Amino acid sequence: MSVTDSTTDRGSLLAALGVSLNEAVLEHALTHRSFAYENGGIPHNERLEFLGDSVLGLSVTQKLYRENPELPEGALAKMRASVVSTVALAEIARTIGLGPHLRLGRGEELTGGRDKASILADTMEALIGAVYLDQGLETASALVLRLVEPLLEDPARFGAAMDPKTSLQEVAARLNAPAPVYEIEASGPDHNRMFVATVTVGTLATAVGEGSSKKHAEMAAALSAWTELSARAS
């Protein structure tokens, strides 16, 4: 069975999310625009992504505000930005095994769309939006907090997600490795550019990341390399 087929078993995904969800709403949330365009212009998940982004931001903001009464607004904003970033959401998506469930068009399928940080992060937001529509704010907010809790409870990974380039430099230094070197490639039209960053840390690690900006692509690559090197360092 094709993984892009709408009949793909979603049980493992729902189990990882810890929610029940209307099947039609779930399929909608998993439908990337590339799949929609290749299948007669069926609805895709970008409106759900827009909705989920708001639910995500509100839920994380409330948690950080309540649990960090000593922190000023600037520090809270920085923490929130890291938790809801494309890099962090893509990490969460990989943890729950989201990639195989994506409904992608042939072009995205052939270019590694199932592991693209931007697609994974956007689909996570769409899933949150779908849960909000189907189950309400309380359930959607509880889902958000379950998803982000492991990141918040792991200071090293939280710091890496907040500033992966600095974290990568630090772990490279601990291993007496050269400073990370980044290379950037861009593709697509000006209004929809996609950037791919490759970071190399001597002979110890090479990692690739992608994003809608050079900064996001480098951050994704840096977090991937940091994950590899931090395991070696420990």
Side-chain angles (χ1 to χ4, degrees):
M1 180 187 301
S2 168
V3 284
T4 60
D5 194 308
S6 62
T7 61
T8 298
D9 177 36
R10 310 299 187 199
S12 61
L13 177 60
L14 292 174
L17 290 172
V19 297
S20 60
L21 197 57
N22 176 278
E23 182 178 350
V25 176
L26 175 60
E27 293 301 312
H28 186 183
L30 296 171
T31 302
H32 188 257
R33 65 176 178 269
S34 62
F35 183 93
Y37 293 161
E38 291 182 11
N39 288 271
I42 63 175
H44 53 72
N45 63 10
E46 290 182 1
R47 281 173 54 85
L48 285 175
E49 174 195 338
F50 170 78
L51 181 62
D53 177 68
S54 295
V55 176
L56 171 68
L58 175 62
S59 302
V60 171
T61 297
Q62 287 182 329
K63 178 178 179 63
L64 293 176
Y65 180 85
R66 291 169 178 166
E67 295 186 1
N68 300 276
E70 76 288 354
L71 292 182
E73 181 271 341
L76 291 172
K78 188 175 182 181
M79 292 177 69
R80 178 181 61 193
S82 71
V83 175
V84 304
S85 70
T86 296
V87 172
L89 290 175
E91 279 289 292
I92 291 169
R94 294 184 183 106
T95 298
I96 67 171
L98 178 59
H101 297 278
L102 300 174
R103 304 176 81 195
L104 299 177
R106 180 169 174 79
E108 288 293 353
E109 190 76 66
L110 293 174
T111 56
R114 294 191 181 279
D115 197 47
K116 284 185 179 178
S118 58
I119 292 178
L120 289 171
D122 290 347
T123 308
M124 283 305 312
E125 291 181 334
L127 283 170
I128 293 166
V131 172
Y132 169 77
L133 282 183
D134 193 54
Q135 304 285 332
L137 180 59
E138 184 176 351
T139 299
S141 183
L143 168 63
V144 168
L145 298 184
R146 285 198 306 274
L147 293 173
V148 304
E149 195 68 38
L151 185 63
L152 293 174
E153 290 182 346
D154 185 342
R157 177 156 289 280
F158 182 79
M162 181 180 294
D163 190 355
K165 294 182 70 174
T166 298
S167 295
L168 178 59
Q169 286 180 322
E170 292 173 347
V171 72
R174 291 204 304 273
L175 293 170
N176 296 313
V181 176
Y182 295 85
E183 295 181 359
I184 293 283
E185 294 183 359
S187 62
D190 289 342
H191 68 278
N192 190 28
R193 298 288 272 176
M194 182 59 64
F195 296 88
V196 177
T198 301
V199 61
T200 303
V201 185
T203 60
L204 295 183
T206 299
V208 176
E210 57 85 30
S212 57
S213 69
K214 292 180 181 179
K215 177 181 178 181
H216 288 157
E218 289 181 345
M219 288 174 64
L223 184 59
S224 180
W226 175 87
T227 300
E228 180 179 345
L229 290 186
S230 62
R232 184 176 304 188
S234 62

